[in-house]
């Protein structure tokens, strides 16, 4: 779909304009309504959960008498009270709704029971009164332990091209290494919350803070033992999600629904922050091990790479997440002879889940670690090694290790542009001079690229639906399967409809995502929200526009060319109507003003048996230059300047896209620097709030933060107005910060030693890396 032609009198807020987020004013004023802000029905009960305090063991006894007798308590449920299914695993089994007596607890914080009381405080107090007895079992708490025990939640997957072993034996140079890549808590502002309202005829209305209303509908129905049409899930907005509400919102809706069914009263369940962090999954931590061969210029000749994802106690989405890490283990680089192994390691910790990037960031960090190691070994600027290894159609090096051709070669031009606009080469020399004269403070600089595949790697999820009603006053109600979590999806899809029907965006209202309006929807994830829901909405809007055009032709006896839609006007030959006048005329002539739209992403496929295919419709690209200042005596550092050039194709909304790039970068920077998850020897998460888990604050924003959208780069594929996804890719731009820190540390050894620096690169780890280089230099 080509970009709409911009006219001086385009409708206000139509596609391509940088209009404000539809809820921006409500966000800052506090008027935006989230689950806990809703006016609940009279008599609503408040639910809470009892969590295990053991990582691995059999529940041998559960005394809940004190819970049942606590003030305000109305009901208590255990596994035995579930009327339908117990296992709510989203793809594969392994996620029990609750664990009962005789069952095995598999992580510290697993749900044992739920209590409903007359108020929130009473429910929380009562949940603490349970007496649970366990028979302890050995706990596997690390990826290394899981690998040693051959403990996996799903079988390994392998991708191969050529003969990696043979090519490694013949390589000019060879390096081996490993890297620990830390996980990350989603830390959404609005915690997990659901409000379930029982309806007549056994129906259940579920208000849920979820990225996946259809999956929530399915699981609530299955837990209650009813058909899907008995359950409606409504999601107006989330206060952040970042993947943490794709599957992990389901459990709380299911529990609230059971209590609502039993009591006949509405039930709200909202987790406190510490329990939210204990009981819900995070970004997967990974272990990377590699053996790489390369020539004098740093060009990779062969790679044997092992990626092991720490999945926690169940499969959840780990199959697809580790797959995506493998798909992105090339990042932007051609790998001629390569073997990539992806292991899904089981540990007795909470089941890890989706997080912005969905495994892609971990794969990218692994290969960028390798690129930096090659550069240090050869004494080359890492940027030159990166450019040497880029995909190149001219050199016949433009097919990924899984067989997908790079059809739109964006990065060479984008990187050259950023190298110039950021003054990379001059700054590189200035930094070398600075470091040569400063024994304590060292500066680092890095430019890293991003090539991120866009589509769900599970093929059937690449579909979307939309519903549009045009009312007789010309106002429009829009509904689609995508959910709004602050990323601006509702705004962008409304802009698409505004563009097609040529009306101001003020005339369009996007209503709550509801399973009774648009059914069988996919989760809002994989950076595909605008791509698929925008196209579905466009299809619906085009149906209505075609009906209106056909009506005009018949009613006024004119040709289609005589019917013109212009901003808030419809011109038929020499007659000019306001949009409202024209749709009212059509209504009185019995023309349908409502339409559905549907879209499915073309071209994508992947064969797991051969590990080849085209899993992605296209790639989104970008690059970032980061400069840091490191105190080598304390390990403290700060990011002083960031320059970004990112390709969003023909932007649907430049203002929102730039905001996504800035926010994604800062979130990625937190993942790689300050956000450290820690468990004690008993498998208990110890970082359960902002006092111990450090997300970036506004003061961590680089004082110089330059963001540019790559101009004149429409998507080669027929996406919505030739735009490109922007939700996840910017997070990986922050790899440049981690690489810049290592650049600064490596200056202690004249840039010839690759410092060991696992992520997150906390000041403690940076200090240890500095001390290791000082010791090696003595």
């Amino acid at each position: 779909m080509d970009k709409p032609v911009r006219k001086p009198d385009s409708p206000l807020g139509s596609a391509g304009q940088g209009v404000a987020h539809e809820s921006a004013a409500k966000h800052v004023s506090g008027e935006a309504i989230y689950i806990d802000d809703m006016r609940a029905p009279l008599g609503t009960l408040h639910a809470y959960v009892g969590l295990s305090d053991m990582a691995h063991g059999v529940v041998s006894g559960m005394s809940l008498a004190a819970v049942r007798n606590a003030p305000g308590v109305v009901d208590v449920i255990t596994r035995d009270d579930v009327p339908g299914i117990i296992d709510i695993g989203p793809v594969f089994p392994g996620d029990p709704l609750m664990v009962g007596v005789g069952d095995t607890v598999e992580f510290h914080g697993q749900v044992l029971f739920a209590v409903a009381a007359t108020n929130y405080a009473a429910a929380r107090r009562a949940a603490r009164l349970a007496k649970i007895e366990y028979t302890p079992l050995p706990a596997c708490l690390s990826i290394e332990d899981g690998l040693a025990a051959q403990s996996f939640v799903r079988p390994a997957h392998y991708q191969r091209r050529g003969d990696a072993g043979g090519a490694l034996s013949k390589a000019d140079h060879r390096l081996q290494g490993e890297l620990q890549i830390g996980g990350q808590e989603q830390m959404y502002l609005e915690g997990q919350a659901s409000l379930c309202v029982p309806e007549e005829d056994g129906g259940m209305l579920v208000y849920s803070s979820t990225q996946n209303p259809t999956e929530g509908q399915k699981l609530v129905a299955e837990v209650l033992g009813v058909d899907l049409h008995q359950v409606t899930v409504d999601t107006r907005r989330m206060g952040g999600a970042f993947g943490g509400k794709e599957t992990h919102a389901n459990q709380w809706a299911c529990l609230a629904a059971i209590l609502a069914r039993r009591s006949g009263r509405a039930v709200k369940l909202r987790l406190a922050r510490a329990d939210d962090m204990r009981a819900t999954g995070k970004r997967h931590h990974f272990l990377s091990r590699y053996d790489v061969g390369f020539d004098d210029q740093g060009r990779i000749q062969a790679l044997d790479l092992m990626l092991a994802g720490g999945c926690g106690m169940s499969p959840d989405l780990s199959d697809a997440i580790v797959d995506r890490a493998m798909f992105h283990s090339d990042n932007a680089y051609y790998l001629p002879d390569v073997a990539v192994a992806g292991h899904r390691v089981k540990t007795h910790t909470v089941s890890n889940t989706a997080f912005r990037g969905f495994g892609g960031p971990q794969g990218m960090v692994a290969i960028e670690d390798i690129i930096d190691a090659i550069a240090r070994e050869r004494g080359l600027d890492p940027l030159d090694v990166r450019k040497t290894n880029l995909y190149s159609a001219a050199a016949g090096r433009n097919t990924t290790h899984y067989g997908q051709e790079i059809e739109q070669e964006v990065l060479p031009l984008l990187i050259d542009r950023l190298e110039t606009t950021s003054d990379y080469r001059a700054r590189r020399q200035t930094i070398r001079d600075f470091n040569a004269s400063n024994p304590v403070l060292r500066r680092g600089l890095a430019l890293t690229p991003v090539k991120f595949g866009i589509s769900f790697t599970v093929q059937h999820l690449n579909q979307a639906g939309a519903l549009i009603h045009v009312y007789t006053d010309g106002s429009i109600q829009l509904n689609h399967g995508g959910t709004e979590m602050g990323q601006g999806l509702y705004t962008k899809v409304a802009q698409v409809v505004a563009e097609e029907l040529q009306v101001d965006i003020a005339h369009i209202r996007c209503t709550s995502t509801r399973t009774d309006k648009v059914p069988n929807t996919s989760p809002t994830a994989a950076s595909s929200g605008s791509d698929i829901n925008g196209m579905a909405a466009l299809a619906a809007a085009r149906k209505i526009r075609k009906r209106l055009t056909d009506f005009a032709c018949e009613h006024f006896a004119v040709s289609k060319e005589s019917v013109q839609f212009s901003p808030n006007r419809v011109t038929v030959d020499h007659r000019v109507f306001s949009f409202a006048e024209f749709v009212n005329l059509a209504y009185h002539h019995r023309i349908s003003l409502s339409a559905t739209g549907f879209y499915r992403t073309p071209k994508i496929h992947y064969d797991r048996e051969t590990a080849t295919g085209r899993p992605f419709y296209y790639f989104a690209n970008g690059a970032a230059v980061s400069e840091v200042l490191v105190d080598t005596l304390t390990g403290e550092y700060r990011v002083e300047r960031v320059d970004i050039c990112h390709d969003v194709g023909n932007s649907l909304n430049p203002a929102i896209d730039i905001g996504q790039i800035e926010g994604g970068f800062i979130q990625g920077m937190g993942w790689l620097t300050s956000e450290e998850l820690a468990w004690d020897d008993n498998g208990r998460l110890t970082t359960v709030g902002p006092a111990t888990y450090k997300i970036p604050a506004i003061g961590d924003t680089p004082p110089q933060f330059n963001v540019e959208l790559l101009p004149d780069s429409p998507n080669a594929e027929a996406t919505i107005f030739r735009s490109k996804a922007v939700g996840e890719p910017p997070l990986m731009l922050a790899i440049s910060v981690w690489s810049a820190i290592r650049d600064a540390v490596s200056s202690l050894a004249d840039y010839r030693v690759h410092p060991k620096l696992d992520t997150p690169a906390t000041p403690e780890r940076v200090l240890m890396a500095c001390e290791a280089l000082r010791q090696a230099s003595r």
Side-chain angles (χ1 to χ4, degrees):
M1 198 58 53
D2 291 330
K3 183 178 181 181
V5 176
R6 296 261 54 83
K7 302 174 183 177
D9 59 348
S10 293
L12 293 175
S14 59
Q17 298 179 36
V19 300
H21 188 291
E22 48 88 22
S23 292
K26 291 188 281 288
H27 287 157
V28 298
S29 67
E31 295 174 275
I33 296 174
Y34 300 93
I35 300 297
D36 202 39
D37 302 318
M38 295 177 65
R39 292 186 178 180
L42 184 66
T44 293
L45 299 176
H46 296 261
Y48 212 74
V49 289
L51 303 177
S52 70
D53 57 6
M54 177 165 288
H56 193 207
V58 176
V59 180
S60 55
M62 189 184 301
S63 176
L64 301 179
V67 180
R68 297 182 192 278
N69 294 327
V73 169
V74 174
D75 196 9
V76 178
I77 58 171
T78 66
R79 175 205 59 191
D80 296 335
D81 297 309
V82 179
I85 67 165
I86 299 292
D87 195 314
I88 59 169
V91 183
F92 304 102
D95 291 290
L97 181 63
M98 291 179 281
V99 174
V101 175
D103 294 339
T104 300
V105 163
E106 297 208 85
F107 73 93
H108 193 294
Q110 195 163 8
V111 175
L112 303 174
F113 63 91
V115 54
T118 52
N119 62 73
Y120 181 71
R124 286 195 68 187
R125 281 194 295 265
R128 299 190 186 112
L129 301 177
K131 295 180 179 179
I132 313 297
E133 297 176 355
Y134 305 92
T135 302
L137 296 171
C140 176
L141 301 176
S142 71
I143 292 176
E144 291 87 345
D145 288 346
L147 286 172
Q150 292 290 286
S151 176
F152 304 108
V153 297
R154 292 287 298 158
H157 186 49
Y158 301 90
Q159 296 170 339
R160 299 181 179 89
R161 174 164 59 190
D163 179 8
L168 280 168
S169 66
K170 300 173 184 175
D172 298 334
H173 307 277
R174 195 165 170 178
L175 284 174
Q176 295 83 34
E178 76 171 42
L179 180 71
Q180 295 278 356
I181 304 167
Q184 187 179 20
E185 162 66 32
Q186 289 86 358
M187 208 68 178
Y188 25 66
L189 287 176
E190 178 201 25
Q192 299 282 357
S194 290
L195 170 64
C196 292
V197 183
E199 298 184 308
E200 62 182 21
D201 299 324
M204 188 66 66
L205 176 58
V206 180
Y207 296 98
S208 180
S209 184
T210 176
Q211 294 172 245
N212 199 349
T214 288
E215 186 174 83
Q217 175 197 26
K218 173 180 179 291
L219 290 173
V220 167
E222 290 178 345
V223 162
L224 293 178
V226 301
D227 293 335
L228 270 69
H229 76 279
Q230 294 285 86
V231 177
T232 298
V233 175
D234 181 306
T235 302
R236 172 57 183 92
R237 63 170 61 84
M238 288 164 275
F242 309 112
K245 297 176 181 177
E246 184 173 343
T247 61
H248 281 223
N250 298 326
Q251 187 171 17
W252 323 114
C254 290
L255 291 169
I258 295 171
L259 288 163
R261 169 62 54 81
R262 286 165 59 92
S263 66
R265 297 161 68 175
V267 173
K268 179 163 64 174
L269 197 163
R270 172 177 62 84
L271 292 182
R273 177 65 63 182
D275 290 334
D276 193 316
M277 294 182 73
R278 289 188 185 100
T280 63
K282 292 81 175 74
R283 184 189 296 282
H284 290 58
H285 53 299
F286 266 70
L287 172 65
S288 161
R289 288 177 179 156
Y290 67 84
D291 187 347
V292 64
F294 50 94
D295 65 15
D296 290 346
Q297 286 72 47
R299 187 187 301 270
I300 294 174
Q301 296 173 318
L303 174 64
D304 187 346
L305 177 63
M306 187 279 289
L307 295 171
C311 302
M313 52 76 69
S314 74
D316 191 67
L317 300 175
S318 292
D319 236 16
I321 288 168
V322 177
D323 279 358
R324 189 172 277 264
M326 298 171 70
F327 286 131
H328 289 83
S329 61
D330 60 337
N331 191 11
Y333 313 116
Y334 180 76
L335 306 174
D337 289 272
V338 58
V340 181
H343 298 291
R344 291 91 165 127
V345 179
K346 177 172 182 174
T347 55
H348 293 114
T349 53
V350 64
S351 187
N352 286 322
T353 191
F355 197 130
R356 196 176 194 172
F358 202 78
Q362 295 94 314
M364 288 188 192
V365 166
I367 191 64
E368 294 300 340
D369 175 48
I370 292 167
I371 291 286
D372 278 347
I374 292 170
R376 302 298 175 219
E377 199 279 338
R378 296 306 306 149
L380 301 170
D381 187 322
L383 175 57
D384 293 329
V385 176
R386 289 185 165 93
K387 293 173 75 171
T388 295
N389 283 284
L390 287 176
Y391 282 103
S392 170
R397 294 162 50 91
N398 68 326
T399 304
T400 67
H401 59 287
Y402 47 88
Q404 179 162 350
E405 184 179 346
I406 308 298
E407 297 174 332
Q408 187 175 16
E409 209 167 279
V410 173
L411 278 173
L413 173 66
L414 187 152
I415 290 171
D416 285 346
R417 180 185 182 92
L418 183 60
E419 183 180 343
T420 299
T421 59
S422 68
D423 202 19
Y424 178 90
R425 298 293 176 180
R427 288 166 65 195
R428 168 62 71 191
Q429 187 57 51
T430 299
I431 285 171
R432 281 183 172 267
D433 295 342
F434 175 89
N435 289 342
S437 59
N438 284 272
V440 175
L441 297 179
R442 296 295 177 102
R443 295 187 183 275
L445 186 70
L447 188 159
T448 59
V450 168
K451 174 187 67 66
F452 190 78
I454 304 300
S455 290
F456 289 98
T457 54
V458 177
Q459 187 183 38
H460 76 269
L461 295 178
N462 293 281
Q463 60 176 298
L467 173 66
I468 294 177
H469 302 314
V470 179
Y471 295 100
T472 55
D473 64 352
S475 64
I476 297 168
Q477 190 177 94
L478 164 66
N479 195 272
H480 55 81
T483 55
E484 176 61 53
M485 59 197 90
Q487 83 279 38
L489 177 62
Y490 277 21
T491 306
K492 285 187 171 183
V493 178
Q495 288 181 272
V496 169
V497 175
E499 183 67 40
E500 181 61 23
L501 295 181
Q502 286 291 291
V503 298
D504 292 347
I505 197 171
H507 298 306
I508 301 173
R509 181 184 179 214
C510 193
T511 58
S512 294
T513 306
R514 283 179 63 111
T515 56
D516 60 354
K517 285 193 173 183
V518 177
N520 309 320
T521 58
S522 295
T524 305
S527 299
S528 64
S530 296
D531 281 4
I532 62 176
N533 293 288
M535 290 294 276
L538 181 65
R542 283 190 166 167
K543 286 182 183 179
I544 294 173
R545 180 165 170 166
K546 183 179 185 301
R547 289 176 196 158
L548 293 173
T549 301
D550 291 345
F551 160 68
C553 292
E554 180 181 350
H555 185 70
F556 294 104
V558 298
S559 66
K560 290 182 179 180
E561 290 72 26
S562 299
V563 183
Q564 299 294 322
F565 286 73
S566 56
N568 306 302
R569 296 284 185 272
V570 180
T571 302
V572 183
D573 204 5
H574 62 278
R575 305 173 185 84
V576 179
F577 301 87
S578 70
F579 183 78
E581 290 170 338
F582 192 73
V583 298
N584 191 50
L585 181 64
Y587 163 74
H588 279 92
H589 286 79
R590 298 181 297 177
I591 303 301
S592 172
L593 299 174
S594 178
T596 60
F598 181 78
Y599 175 76
R600 63 177 184 176
T601 309
K603 299 185 178 182
I604 51 177
H605 58 91
Y606 182 69
D607 185 339
R608 289 188 68 81
E609 292 298 318
T610 62
T612 58
R614 178 179 178 156
F616 305 115
Y617 189 29
Y618 64 91
F619 294 97
N621 300 275
V625 178
S626 291
E627 182 176 338
V628 301
L629 180 66
V630 176
D631 185 332
T632 63
L633 293 183
T634 66
E636 294 176 289
Y637 53 85
R638 64 172 182 256
V639 182
E640 299 205 314
R641 176 177 170 180
V642 171
D643 296 84
I644 292 172
C645 183
H646 200 77
D647 179 23
V648 298
N650 290 336
S651 174
L652 290 175
N653 187 317
I656 284 177
D657 286 349
I658 288 173
Q660 284 289 290
I661 293 166
E662 292 171 342
F665 180 90
I666 296 297
Q667 189 173 56
M669 184 178 75
W671 168 50
L672 294 170
T673 60
S674 63
E675 296 184 39
E676 185 174 27
L677 293 163
W679 286 263
D680 65 17
D681 293 340
N682 296 315
R684 181 179 66 92
L685 182 68
T686 59
T687 47
V688 291
T692 50
Y693 185 79
K694 299 297 185 180
I695 64 172
I698 190 64
D700 297 307
T701 304
Q704 285 186 266
F705 198 1
N706 306 313
V707 178
E708 179 192 35
L709 303 181
L710 182 68
D712 304 318
S713 182
N715 199 332
E717 298 296 342
T719 53
I720 185 71
F721 300 142
R722 302 282 176 174
S723 62
K724 295 181 183 177
V726 72
E728 292 170 300
L731 182 136
M732 283 73 83
L733 296 169
I735 295 172
S736 59
V737 172
W738 175 62
S739 291
I741 293 170
R742 292 197 303 178
D743 184 66
V745 175
S746 72
S747 71
L748 295 172
D750 198 26
Y751 301 99
R752 296 307 298 262
V753 177
H754 181 56
K756 171 69 172 174
L757 186 60
D758 293 334
T759 75
T762 60
E764 294 87 348
R765 286 198 175 104
V766 173
L767 178 59
M768 287 189 286
C770 291
E771 289 302 309
L773 260 64
R774 286 195 180 97
Q775 291 291 334
S777 301
R778 288 173 184 167

